[in-house]
Amino acid sequence: MEIDSWFGCLKVRACPWIDGKRIYFNVQSFAPGQSIEQPPALDKTVYVTDDEAGRKLVYEFTDSLANHVAGMQIEPGREITLTAQRK
């Protein structure tokens, strides 16, 4: 399953990653009045472990995850993998 949609002011793309173990999750934001043809003002990517809990996080709580990722401080070149836990 893939996501390529807007959630509020955030553009979200999610899809299974090529390694088969993670889900690619990208969040972009554009400045007010900015053309989407220009590079986004915010562009952050994380990976989510591709298991039942991870798929639920990505596909059922997309808006909350997108807002969380947008607020994360990610160093350039650093790869982040999030793992969701079920209780």
Side-chain angles (χ1 to χ4, degrees):
M1 188 155 110
E2 295 188 16
I3 296 173
D4 188 6
S5 187
W6 290 89
F7 288 82
C9 64
L10 300 172
K11 174 80 165 124
V12 176
R13 293 187 63 221
C15 62
W17 190 236
I18 57 176
D19 64 6
K21 299 176 184 177
R22 300 179 295 172
I23 301 167
Y24 170 86
F25 193 86
N26 176 259
V27 177
Q28 297 179 338
S29 177
F30 297 85
Q34 176 185 348
S35 168
I36 60 172
E37 298 299 320
Q38 297 174 345
L42 173 128
D43 189 356
K44 295 184 180 181
T45 298
V46 298
Y47 300 89
V48 179
T49 305
D50 192 357
D51 57 14
E52 184 180 346
R55 286 187 295 275
K56 184 173 184 171
L57 176 64
V58 170
Y59 299 113
E60 294 182 27
F61 297 99
T62 311
D63 186 57
S64 296
L65 179 58
N67 283 304
H68 176 71
V69 171
M72 291 176 70
Q73 292 186 0
I74 302 174
E75 297 172 19
R78 183 152 186 215
E79 189 174 286
I80 303 290
T81 300
L82 303 176
T83 301
Q85 295 182 350
R86 285 185 55 183
K87 287 194 175 196

